[in-house]
Amino acid sequence: MELAILEARKGKGETFTNPLVGAVIISENEVISKGAHLKYGQAHAEKNSIDLCRTPEKLLNSTIYVTLEPCAHYGKQPPCTQAIIDSGIKCVVIGQLDPNPLVSGKGVEKLREQGIQVIIGVLEKEVRDLNEHYNHFFEKQRPFVSLKQAMSLDGKISLRKRRTNLTQKQVFERVHEERGNYQAILVGSETVLIDDPLLLSTKKSHFPPVRIVLDRRGRVFANPRLQIFKDAHAPVLIFTERIGHIGHLPDHVERCDLSSVTIQNVLEELHKRNIQSVYVEGGSVIHDAFLASDYWDEMICYVAPLLLGGNSLSSMSSNRVSNSGTPLKFVNLEKIGSDLRIVGRRV
């Protein structure tokens, strides 16, 4: 199973919206083949490992270790359960059951109906870590949400009404890499109007993150020179309550009308669009709205060794009355150049 996990990681960033999956086939205590799901729409790990086996005669009565339950339905690829049955494999060891209702339990049932031995839950924690966002999406029925901030030591994110670079180049590079691990990047209209960001990742991928802007009043539509309108490398979704004509939008930009642009309503819409993870970059009002909503899972803070003070913007702020704190468990503390990266998860 450890080998299967290593195989699965080979598809990182290329299988959206499918999970990472790896497979290893064993015959007489010998690894006879390995495979992975390497790209969305292409062969799944089980089929890959079977097809790549150079000694197909050894498949008969062999054992396949697969990180995720084999599918039993037709999609872009035929069912993996049938490929396993046809190959003569007699034992399937599964890391975790697939939480996707299209698959969940059906693959195991199909295999057992054909007299194939099935073992479930080997290295399940390690296997689940491969597809944390995918698992969360189907188990919680909403995207996995990470709140990301870069702040000064006194908890400020920028000078008032001015783009402010706080962290060093190493953090800039890390954040761009980090963005590529999510299916969407989300900001508020204030961030777009002040910073004019591209909201892209430098990580090369066939599936760049969707750019999402929460703009209740529709202010960004009056600024067609913003980079999100001019750059078509990734789709842009603008959630607004504004009613009426706004003029022509570029093909990569979509206006998403909601009666109320709340965090819950936005995430429900993203769930319908099969967006499994969201990287929320702010600003302070947007982050506070997520905090108040309870629809978030992780906080990523990049802390710079400087102070802003005065009327500079706090990392989270709004007019709501805060009556209690939110406890976190700390997952990671890392030094990046002269800055710190602190990750906390909800308890």
Short mmCIF file of all heavy atoms in Angstrom, two decimals, residues 121-168:
data_model
loop_
_atom_site.label_atom_id
_atom_site.label_comp_id
_atom_site.label_asym_id
_atom_site.label_seq_id
_atom_site.Cartn_x
_atom_site.Cartn_y
_atom_site.Cartn_z
N GLY A 121 -9.32 -0.95 4.33
CA GLY A 121 -8.83 -0.15 5.45
C GLY A 121 -7.35 -0.29 5.76
O GLY A 121 -6.93 0.02 6.87
N VAL A 122 -6.55 -0.69 4.78
CA VAL A 122 -5.11 -0.82 5.00
C VAL A 122 -4.45 0.55 4.81
O VAL A 122 -4.60 1.18 3.76
CB VAL A 122 -4.49 -1.86 4.04
CG1 VAL A 122 -2.98 -1.88 4.17
CG2 VAL A 122 -5.08 -3.23 4.31
N LEU A 123 -3.73 1.03 5.83
CA LEU A 123 -3.12 2.36 5.83
C LEU A 123 -4.15 3.44 5.48
O LEU A 123 -3.88 4.37 4.73
CB LEU A 123 -1.94 2.43 4.86
CG LEU A 123 -0.71 1.59 5.18
CD1 LEU A 123 0.42 1.88 4.20
CD2 LEU A 123 -0.22 1.82 6.60
N GLU A 124 -5.33 3.32 6.07
CA GLU A 124 -6.43 4.21 5.67
C GLU A 124 -6.12 5.69 5.94
O GLU A 124 -6.44 6.54 5.12
CB GLU A 124 -7.72 3.81 6.40
CG GLU A 124 -8.91 4.65 5.96
CD GLU A 124 -10.23 4.09 6.47
OE1 GLU A 124 -10.21 3.08 7.19
OE2 GLU A 124 -11.27 4.67 6.13
N LYS A 125 -5.51 6.01 7.07
CA LYS A 125 -5.21 7.41 7.36
C LYS A 125 -4.28 7.99 6.31
O LYS A 125 -4.51 9.09 5.78
CB LYS A 125 -4.58 7.56 8.74
CG LYS A 125 -4.26 9.01 9.10
CD LYS A 125 -3.54 9.13 10.42
CE LYS A 125 -3.26 10.60 10.76
NZ LYS A 125 -2.45 11.28 9.71
N GLU A 126 -3.21 7.27 5.99
CA GLU A 126 -2.25 7.75 4.99
C GLU A 126 -2.90 7.88 3.62
O GLU A 126 -2.61 8.82 2.87
CB GLU A 126 -1.05 6.80 4.92
CG GLU A 126 -0.18 6.79 6.15
CD GLU A 126 -0.69 5.88 7.27
OE1 GLU A 126 -1.82 5.37 7.16
OE2 GLU A 126 0.06 5.67 8.23
N VAL A 127 -3.77 6.95 3.30
CA VAL A 127 -4.47 6.99 2.02
C VAL A 127 -5.45 8.16 1.96
O VAL A 127 -5.54 8.87 0.94
CB VAL A 127 -5.21 5.65 1.78
CG1 VAL A 127 -6.18 5.77 0.62
CG2 VAL A 127 -4.20 4.54 1.51
N ARG A 128 -6.16 8.41 3.05
CA ARG A 128 -7.10 9.52 3.08
C ARG A 128 -6.39 10.87 2.90
O ARG A 128 -6.93 11.80 2.30
CB ARG A 128 -7.90 9.53 4.39
CG ARG A 128 -8.97 8.45 4.46
CD ARG A 128 -9.77 8.56 5.76
NE ARG A 128 -10.46 9.85 5.86
CZ ARG A 128 -11.64 10.10 5.32
NH1 ARG A 128 -12.29 9.15 4.65
NH2 ARG A 128 -12.19 11.29 5.45
N ASP A 129 -5.16 10.96 3.39
CA ASP A 129 -4.39 12.19 3.24
C ASP A 129 -4.10 12.53 1.78
O ASP A 129 -3.86 13.69 1.45
CB ASP A 129 -3.07 12.09 4.02
CG ASP A 129 -3.27 12.18 5.53
OD1 ASP A 129 -4.36 12.61 5.97
OD2 ASP A 129 -2.35 11.79 6.27
N LEU A 130 -4.11 11.53 0.91
CA LEU A 130 -3.90 11.77 -0.51
C LEU A 130 -4.98 12.66 -1.10
O LEU A 130 -4.71 13.47 -2.00
CB LEU A 130 -3.91 10.44 -1.29
CG LEU A 130 -2.69 9.56 -1.26
CD1 LEU A 130 -3.02 8.22 -1.92
CD2 LEU A 130 -1.52 10.23 -1.98
N ASN A 131 -6.21 12.51 -0.62
CA ASN A 131 -7.36 13.17 -1.23
C ASN A 131 -8.22 13.87 -0.18
O ASN A 131 -9.43 13.68 -0.14
CB ASN A 131 -8.19 12.14 -2.00
CG ASN A 131 -7.43 11.52 -3.14
OD1 ASN A 131 -7.02 12.18 -4.09
ND2 ASN A 131 -7.21 10.20 -3.05
N GLU A 132 -7.57 14.67 0.66
CA GLU A 132 -8.29 15.32 1.75
C GLU A 132 -9.44 16.18 1.23
O GLU A 132 -10.55 16.15 1.78
CB GLU A 132 -7.33 16.18 2.56
CG GLU A 132 -7.99 16.85 3.75
CD GLU A 132 -7.03 17.64 4.59
OE1 GLU A 132 -6.07 18.21 4.01
OE2 GLU A 132 -7.22 17.71 5.82
N HIS A 133 -9.21 16.95 0.19
CA HIS A 133 -10.25 17.84 -0.33
C HIS A 133 -11.38 17.04 -0.97
O HIS A 133 -12.57 17.36 -0.77
CB HIS A 133 -9.65 18.80 -1.36
CG HIS A 133 -8.60 19.70 -0.80
ND1 HIS A 133 -7.75 20.45 -1.59
CD2 HIS A 133 -8.26 19.98 0.50
CE1 HIS A 133 -6.94 21.16 -0.80
NE2 HIS A 133 -7.22 20.87 0.45
N TYR A 134 -11.04 16.01 -1.71
CA TYR A 134 -12.03 15.13 -2.35
C TYR A 134 -12.91 14.46 -1.29
O TYR A 134 -14.15 14.45 -1.41
CB TYR A 134 -11.29 14.09 -3.19
CG TYR A 134 -12.14 13.02 -3.84
CD1 TYR A 134 -12.73 13.23 -5.08
CD2 TYR A 134 -12.30 11.78 -3.22
CE1 TYR A 134 -13.48 12.24 -5.68
CE2 TYR A 134 -13.05 10.78 -3.82
CZ TYR A 134 -13.64 11.02 -5.05
OH TYR A 134 -14.39 10.02 -5.65
N ASN A 135 -12.28 13.91 -0.26
CA ASN A 135 -13.04 13.25 0.80
C ASN A 135 -13.97 14.23 1.51
O ASN A 135 -15.15 13.92 1.75
CB ASN A 135 -12.08 12.62 1.82
CG ASN A 135 -11.35 11.42 1.28
OD1 ASN A 135 -11.89 10.67 0.48
ND2 ASN A 135 -10.10 11.24 1.69
N HIS A 136 -13.45 15.39 1.83
CA HIS A 136 -14.25 16.40 2.53
C HIS A 136 -15.45 16.82 1.68
O HIS A 136 -16.56 16.97 2.20
CB HIS A 136 -13.37 17.61 2.83
CG HIS A 136 -14.04 18.68 3.63
ND1 HIS A 136 -14.93 19.59 3.07
CD2 HIS A 136 -13.97 19.00 4.95
CE1 HIS A 136 -15.36 20.41 4.00
NE2 HIS A 136 -14.80 20.07 5.15
N PHE A 137 -15.23 17.00 0.39
CA PHE A 137 -16.28 17.46 -0.51
C PHE A 137 -17.48 16.52 -0.50
O PHE A 137 -18.63 16.96 -0.43
CB PHE A 137 -15.71 17.56 -1.93
CG PHE A 137 -16.70 18.01 -2.97
CD1 PHE A 137 -17.02 19.35 -3.12
CD2 PHE A 137 -17.31 17.09 -3.81
CE1 PHE A 137 -17.92 19.77 -4.09
CE2 PHE A 137 -18.21 17.49 -4.77
CZ PHE A 137 -18.53 18.84 -4.91
N PHE A 138 -17.23 15.22 -0.55
CA PHE A 138 -18.34 14.26 -0.59
C PHE A 138 -18.89 13.93 0.79
O PHE A 138 -20.07 13.66 0.94
CB PHE A 138 -17.90 12.99 -1.31
CG PHE A 138 -17.79 13.15 -2.80
CD1 PHE A 138 -16.56 13.22 -3.42
CD2 PHE A 138 -18.93 13.28 -3.58
CE1 PHE A 138 -16.45 13.39 -4.80
CE2 PHE A 138 -18.85 13.45 -4.95
CZ PHE A 138 -17.61 13.50 -5.56
N GLU A 139 -18.04 13.98 1.81
CA GLU A 139 -18.51 13.65 3.15
C GLU A 139 -19.22 14.81 3.83
O GLU A 139 -20.16 14.60 4.59
CB GLU A 139 -17.32 13.18 4.00
CG GLU A 139 -16.76 11.83 3.53
CD GLU A 139 -15.44 11.45 4.19
OE1 GLU A 139 -14.90 12.26 4.97
OE2 GLU A 139 -14.95 10.34 3.92
N LYS A 140 -18.78 16.04 3.55
CA LYS A 140 -19.38 17.23 4.17
C LYS A 140 -20.33 17.97 3.24
O LYS A 140 -21.00 18.93 3.65
CB LYS A 140 -18.28 18.19 4.64
CG LYS A 140 -17.28 17.59 5.61
CD LYS A 140 -17.92 17.24 6.93
CE LYS A 140 -16.84 16.78 7.93
NZ LYS A 140 -17.42 16.39 9.23
N GLN A 141 -20.35 17.57 1.98
CA GLN A 141 -21.24 18.20 0.98
C GLN A 141 -20.93 19.68 0.78
O GLN A 141 -21.82 20.50 0.56
CB GLN A 141 -22.71 18.00 1.37
CG GLN A 141 -23.17 16.56 1.37
CD GLN A 141 -23.07 15.92 -0.02
OE1 GLN A 141 -23.74 16.34 -0.95
NE2 GLN A 141 -22.24 14.90 -0.15
N ARG A 142 -19.67 20.03 0.86
CA ARG A 142 -19.22 21.38 0.52
C ARG A 142 -17.72 21.35 0.27
O ARG A 142 -17.03 20.41 0.69
CB ARG A 142 -19.55 22.38 1.63
CG ARG A 142 -18.78 22.18 2.92
CD ARG A 142 -18.90 23.43 3.81
NE ARG A 142 -18.26 23.26 5.11
CZ ARG A 142 -16.96 23.43 5.35
NH1 ARG A 142 -16.14 23.74 4.35
NH2 ARG A 142 -16.47 23.26 6.57
N PRO A 143 -17.17 22.39 -0.39
CA PRO A 143 -15.73 22.42 -0.61
C PRO A 143 -14.94 22.54 0.69
O PRO A 143 -15.42 23.10 1.67
CB PRO A 143 -15.53 23.69 -1.47
CG PRO A 143 -16.87 24.01 -2.04
CD PRO A 143 -17.88 23.51 -1.04
N PHE A 144 -13.71 22.04 0.66
CA PHE A 144 -12.76 22.27 1.74
C PHE A 144 -12.28 23.71 1.62
O PHE A 144 -11.90 24.16 0.54
CB PHE A 144 -11.58 21.31 1.62
CG PHE A 144 -10.57 21.41 2.74
CD1 PHE A 144 -10.64 20.54 3.81
CD2 PHE A 144 -9.55 22.35 2.71
CE1 PHE A 144 -9.72 20.61 4.85
CE2 PHE A 144 -8.64 22.44 3.74
CZ PHE A 144 -8.72 21.57 4.81
N VAL A 145 -12.30 24.46 2.73
CA VAL A 145 -11.98 25.90 2.69
C VAL A 145 -10.77 26.20 3.56
O VAL A 145 -10.76 25.92 4.76
CB VAL A 145 -13.18 26.74 3.16
CG1 VAL A 145 -12.80 28.22 3.25
CG2 VAL A 145 -14.37 26.55 2.22
N SER A 146 -9.74 26.78 2.92
CA SER A 146 -8.57 27.27 3.65
C SER A 146 -8.54 28.79 3.58
O SER A 146 -8.67 29.37 2.51
CB SER A 146 -7.27 26.72 3.04
OG SER A 146 -7.15 25.34 3.22
N LEU A 147 -8.40 29.43 4.75
CA LEU A 147 -8.26 30.88 4.82
C LEU A 147 -6.78 31.21 4.88
O LEU A 147 -6.08 30.76 5.78
CB LEU A 147 -8.97 31.44 6.05
CG LEU A 147 -10.42 31.00 6.27
CD1 LEU A 147 -10.98 31.65 7.54
CD2 LEU A 147 -11.29 31.33 5.07
N LYS A 148 -6.30 31.98 3.91
CA LYS A 148 -4.87 32.31 3.86
C LYS A 148 -4.67 33.81 4.06
O LYS A 148 -5.36 34.63 3.44
CB LYS A 148 -4.27 31.85 2.54
CG LYS A 148 -2.83 32.33 2.30
CD LYS A 148 -2.83 33.56 1.42
CE LYS A 148 -1.45 34.18 1.32
NZ LYS A 148 -1.44 35.40 0.49
N GLN A 149 -3.71 34.16 4.92
CA GLN A 149 -3.38 35.56 5.16
C GLN A 149 -1.88 35.74 5.26
O GLN A 149 -1.17 34.85 5.71
CB GLN A 149 -4.02 36.05 6.46
CG GLN A 149 -5.53 36.10 6.46
CD GLN A 149 -6.08 36.69 7.76
OE1 GLN A 149 -5.49 36.53 8.81
NE2 GLN A 149 -7.20 37.38 7.66
N ALA A 150 -1.42 36.91 4.82
CA ALA A 150 -0.06 37.36 5.11
C ALA A 150 -0.21 38.57 6.01
O ALA A 150 -0.93 39.52 5.69
CB ALA A 150 0.67 37.73 3.83
N MET A 151 0.44 38.56 7.16
CA MET A 151 0.21 39.63 8.14
C MET A 151 1.50 40.02 8.85
O MET A 151 2.49 39.29 8.84
CB MET A 151 -0.82 39.17 9.18
CG MET A 151 -0.37 38.03 10.06
SD MET A 151 -1.59 37.59 11.33
CE MET A 151 -2.91 36.95 10.32
N SER A 152 1.45 41.22 9.46
CA SER A 152 2.54 41.68 10.29
C SER A 152 2.43 41.03 11.67
O SER A 152 1.44 40.38 11.99
CB SER A 152 2.49 43.20 10.42
OG SER A 152 1.27 43.58 11.05
N LEU A 153 3.44 41.25 12.48
CA LEU A 153 3.44 40.64 13.81
C LEU A 153 2.33 41.20 14.69
O LEU A 153 1.91 40.56 15.65
CB LEU A 153 4.81 40.86 14.47
CG LEU A 153 5.21 39.90 15.58
CD1 LEU A 153 5.18 38.46 15.11
CD2 LEU A 153 6.59 40.26 16.11
N ASP A 154 1.83 42.40 14.36
CA ASP A 154 0.71 42.96 15.11
C ASP A 154 -0.64 42.69 14.45
O ASP A 154 -1.63 43.36 14.71
CB ASP A 154 0.89 44.47 15.35
CG ASP A 154 1.10 45.27 14.08
OD1 ASP A 154 1.45 44.66 13.06
OD2 ASP A 154 0.90 46.50 14.10
N GLY A 155 -0.69 41.66 13.59
CA GLY A 155 -1.96 41.19 13.05
C GLY A 155 -2.57 42.09 11.99
O GLY A 155 -3.79 42.06 11.78
N LYS A 156 -1.75 42.84 11.26
CA LYS A 156 -2.24 43.72 10.20
C LYS A 156 -1.90 43.13 8.84
O LYS A 156 -0.84 42.51 8.66
CB LYS A 156 -1.62 45.10 10.33
CG LYS A 156 -1.77 45.74 11.71
CD LYS A 156 -3.20 46.13 12.00
CE LYS A 156 -3.29 46.92 13.30
NZ LYS A 156 -4.66 47.41 13.56
N ILE A 157 -2.80 43.35 7.86
CA ILE A 157 -2.57 42.77 6.54
C ILE A 157 -2.16 43.80 5.49
O ILE A 157 -1.63 43.44 4.44
CB ILE A 157 -3.81 42.00 6.04
CG1 ILE A 157 -5.03 42.91 5.96
CG2 ILE A 157 -4.06 40.79 6.91
CD1 ILE A 157 -6.23 42.25 5.29
N SER A 158 -2.39 45.09 5.75
CA SER A 158 -1.95 46.12 4.81
C SER A 158 -2.14 47.50 5.41
O SER A 158 -2.88 47.68 6.38
CB SER A 158 -2.72 46.03 3.49
OG SER A 158 -4.05 46.51 3.65
N LEU A 159 -1.46 48.47 4.81
CA LEU A 159 -1.73 49.85 5.12
C LEU A 159 -3.08 50.23 4.54
O LEU A 159 -3.56 49.58 3.59
CB LEU A 159 -0.63 50.75 4.54
CG LEU A 159 0.79 50.49 5.10
CD1 LEU A 159 1.82 51.25 4.28
CD2 LEU A 159 0.87 50.88 6.57
N ARG A 160 -3.71 51.23 5.05
CA ARG A 160 -5.06 51.59 4.64
C ARG A 160 -5.11 51.98 3.17
O ARG A 160 -4.37 52.84 2.71
CB ARG A 160 -5.55 52.76 5.51
CG ARG A 160 -6.96 53.23 5.25
CD ARG A 160 -8.01 52.23 5.70
NE ARG A 160 -7.91 51.90 7.12
CZ ARG A 160 -8.80 51.14 7.75
NH1 ARG A 160 -9.85 50.65 7.11
NH2 ARG A 160 -8.65 50.86 9.03
N LYS A 161 -5.99 51.29 2.40
CA LYS A 161 -6.27 51.61 1.00
C LYS A 161 -5.00 51.59 0.13
O LYS A 161 -4.88 52.34 -0.84
CB LYS A 161 -6.94 52.97 0.87
CG LYS A 161 -8.30 53.08 1.54
CD LYS A 161 -9.35 52.24 0.83
CE LYS A 161 -10.71 52.41 1.48
NZ LYS A 161 -11.75 51.60 0.82
N ARG A 162 -4.06 50.72 0.47
CA ARG A 162 -2.83 50.66 -0.29
C ARG A 162 -2.29 49.24 -0.32
O ARG A 162 -2.24 48.57 0.72
CB ARG A 162 -1.78 51.59 0.34
CG ARG A 162 -0.54 51.79 -0.52
CD ARG A 162 0.56 52.49 0.26
NE ARG A 162 0.10 53.68 0.98
CZ ARG A 162 0.87 54.34 1.84
NH1 ARG A 162 2.11 53.90 2.09
NH2 ARG A 162 0.40 55.39 2.48
N ARG A 163 -1.91 48.77 -1.49
CA ARG A 163 -1.31 47.44 -1.57
C ARG A 163 0.00 47.43 -0.81
O ARG A 163 0.85 48.30 -1.00
CB ARG A 163 -1.08 47.06 -3.03
CG ARG A 163 -0.48 45.67 -3.19
CD ARG A 163 -0.52 45.20 -4.62
NE ARG A 163 -0.08 43.82 -4.72
CZ ARG A 163 -0.19 43.09 -5.80
NH1 ARG A 163 -0.76 43.59 -6.88
NH2 ARG A 163 0.23 41.84 -5.82
N THR A 164 0.15 46.44 0.05
CA THR A 164 1.31 46.39 0.94
C THR A 164 1.93 45.00 0.90
O THR A 164 1.29 44.01 1.27
CB THR A 164 0.91 46.72 2.39
OG1 THR A 164 0.13 47.92 2.40
CG2 THR A 164 2.14 46.90 3.26
N ASN A 165 3.17 44.91 0.44
CA ASN A 165 3.89 43.64 0.44
C ASN A 165 4.56 43.45 1.80
O ASN A 165 5.42 44.25 2.18
CB ASN A 165 4.93 43.61 -0.67
CG ASN A 165 4.29 43.61 -2.05
OD1 ASN A 165 3.26 42.99 -2.25
ND2 ASN A 165 4.90 44.32 -2.99
N LEU A 166 4.18 42.41 2.49
CA LEU A 166 4.68 42.19 3.86
C LEU A 166 5.78 41.13 3.91
O LEU A 166 6.77 41.29 4.63
CB LEU A 166 3.53 41.76 4.78
CG LEU A 166 2.36 42.75 4.90
CD1 LEU A 166 1.28 42.15 5.80
CD2 LEU A 166 2.82 44.08 5.45
N THR A 167 5.60 40.05 3.19
CA THR A 167 6.51 38.90 3.29
C THR A 167 7.55 38.92 2.18
O THR A 167 7.45 39.67 1.21
CB THR A 167 5.71 37.59 3.24
OG1 THR A 167 4.85 37.61 2.09
CG2 THR A 167 4.85 37.44 4.49
N GLN A 168 8.53 38.05 2.33
CA GLN A 168 9.65 38.01 1.40
C GLN A 168 9.36 37.13 0.18
O GLN A 168 8.31 36.48 0.08
CB GLN A 168 10.89 37.48 2.13
CG GLN A 168 11.29 38.31 3.34
CD GLN A 168 11.60 39.75 2.98
OE1 GLN A 168 12.41 40.01 2.10
NE2 GLN A 168 10.93 40.69 3.66
#
